[in-house]
Amino acid sequence: MIGDSLTADIQGAAGAGIPAILVRSSGPARWVAADLWGVSELVGHPISAGK
């Protein structure tokens, strides 16, 4: 799960047993990314601009 709401997205995913990345927010999440480019790096598949 990728989301910007700690309560709805991250805690909801955790309750369902789904790994989650918090984006464009701060909070006590295991994985946090400033933007979707950061998500790409967290999951191990960097993307290039324009692709």
Side-chain angles (χ1 to χ4, degrees):
M1 172 66 175
I2 299 168
D4 61 357
S5 170
L6 182 62
T7 304
D9 299 324
I10 308 308
Q11 292 175 351
I18 301 169
I21 300 172
L22 183 63
V23 180
R24 299 184 310 153
S25 270
S26 62
R30 182 171 182 183
W31 294 292
V32 179
D35 53 28
L36 293 178
W37 297 106
V39 170
S40 169
E41 293 173 8
L42 282 173
V43 297
H45 300 284
I47 55 177
S48 300
K51 290 191 175 188

